Amino acid sequence: MRILWVKANKLLPAHSGGNIRSYQILRYLASKHDLFFLSYYDGAPDCEYEQELKREFPGAVCFCTGVRRSTFLKRVVDYLSRLPSQLPYAVSRFRSDQVHDRLKTWFRERHFDVAVCDFLDAAVNFPEQVAIPTVLFQHNVESEIWRRLALAERNPITRLLYRVEFNKMLSYEQRMVRRFPRIVAVSEHDRQLMSEWTDSFRITVVPTGVDLRQYSPDPGPRTRAPLVLFVGAMDWEPNVDAVEYFCAGIWPLIRVKVPAARFRIVGRNPVRRVQRLASDSVEVTGSVPSIVDHLRESAVVVVPLRVGGGTRLKIYEAMAAGKAVVSTSIGAEGLDVHHNEDIVLADEPEAFASAVAMLLDNIEVRHRYERAAAAVAAKYDWEVIAGRFAQVLENFVGAKSLGDPDQAEAVQAIGVHG
């Protein structure tokens, strides 16, 4: 197959969940098919990034749109200038005539078998009419994230802005899901949400994976200090909300039960709200050379998310590393995990704290969860998951070549849950 993959924002370094997912799938596709990768980003030109991208994917075309929003004031002004627009800000800021024109030319002059739009923010630059099969890769149901942000926010002004963005995102996301012939979701939960907007047979689930070569249980001694770990990009609002919620309502309860416990927040670009959480028992690291080292040092990994969408790669990574995980239901949403078997799910602060304290204190129980977690993660190696994504594209292209809409639907329906 000749595949065109379009992504807004930089792919490398692949640290965030979405970028990791895209990177692993792209690597597989590039090894099996003719991949043409279009990557565009704003800010200042980054020659180092463009060179690195082309080393990874020789068929990549990468360019900078030239838009700069480097300061907080500029971002505020940019947001206010776009407020009257019907497009959500998270999408409109990636709108580019340069990208739109490039895609129109490519679709007219190049012979692709299928095109993949990676995330909603790239969809804004796709032409209305495309003659080849097109797929929208939905890492999240974005409107659901904004809905949950509005519900969790206490500041009335911020809550109002979240509601505005939710309404815009919902309208836009529904249009895009209806417009693209095929959708790839990352969980059955997301598929069900989007099935309210379009025929469910058009949506295929390809679950989240994990790099089993990078994340594996520590073969060394299994005695651990009472270290609790959170991993995630600390400039992403759902993660910021999660650690604030944990430190305010859960961590004090854990410390009463396990006074020696320490909490470590690991992730790039911690915003000021996160930095202020640091104390004698709470550590904020910022970016680190190796997440694996911190996972292996920890006793329990927590995912206290109240806001989110899609699926959390950090849970499978922790499980693959043989870690006991305590998460909210939202944090583990869409993953193949089982409460009280390979993970503990708790949505109330007291229950969450009790679960963490129990795992810190009871080494035998903790080891049971660690073994079960590693067994679950072992089923989701990226090589397998990326192969399933490729199969979705092959099925779609094959169904289109049959020229029979009913047959195309039947072929696409095969493997919807697989």
Side-chain angles (χ1 to χ4, degrees), residues 24 27 210-216 292 296 381-383:
Q24 294 290 350
R27 284 183 61 200
V210 62
D211 186 348
L212 296 179
R213 288 165 294 186
Q214 181 180 4
Y215 296 93
S216 60
V292 176
R296 288 183 171 171
D381 184 69
W382 274 122
E383 186 79 7

Side-chain angles (χ1 to χ4, degrees), residues 168-183:
K168 289 183 177 183
M169 183 63 78
L170 180 62
S171 175
Y172 173 77
E173 192 165 28
Q174 289 175 338
R175 291 201 311 274
M176 292 303 105
V177 166
R178 291 171 184 144
R179 185 175 123 190
F180 279 79
R182 290 295 179 267
I183 313 296

Side-chain angles (χ1 to χ4, degrees), residues 35-79:
L35 176 70
F36 299 84
F37 179 31
L38 175 60
S39 170
Y40 63 96
Y41 61 94
D42 58 12
D46 189 340
C47 294
E48 184 176 344
Y49 164 69
E50 296 186 15
Q51 291 170 1
E52 183 182 2
L53 187 71
K54 290 180 180 180
R55 282 194 296 269
E56 288 275 359
F57 305 104
V61 173
C62 184
F63 61 88
C64 176
T65 59
V67 180
R68 300 188 182 188
R69 307 174 187 89
S70 55
T71 67
F72 174 75
L73 181 58
K74 286 183 178 180
R75 290 194 295 271
V76 170
V77 171
D78 187 54
Y79 175 77

Side-chain angles (χ1 to χ4, degrees), residues 134-154:
T134 54
V135 175
L136 176 61
F137 188 11
Q138 280 277 72
H139 298 249
N140 308 295
V141 177
E142 295 290 337
S143 56
E144 185 69 359
I145 296 177
W146 288 99
R147 184 186 71 81
R148 289 171 171 172
L149 281 170
L151 288 174
E153 181 57 49
R154 293 184 178 182

Side-chain angles (χ1 to χ4, degrees), residues 337-391:
V337 294
H338 313 87
H339 177 51
N340 283 342
E341 294 182 20
D342 44 58
I343 195 171
V344 180
L345 301 179
D347 292 320
E348 298 301 325
E350 294 79 6
F352 202 111
S354 294
V356 174
M358 178 271 295
L359 291 169
L360 291 175
D361 279 337
N362 194 322
I363 296 176
E364 182 178 346
V365 173
R366 189 168 79 232
H367 287 175
R368 176 168 61 81
Y369 275 95
E370 290 171 349
R371 290 190 297 270
V376 168
K379 299 185 294 183
Y380 291 93
D381 184 69
W382 274 122
E383 186 79 7
V384 175
I385 299 304
R388 290 165 71 172
F389 195 102
Q391 188 62 54

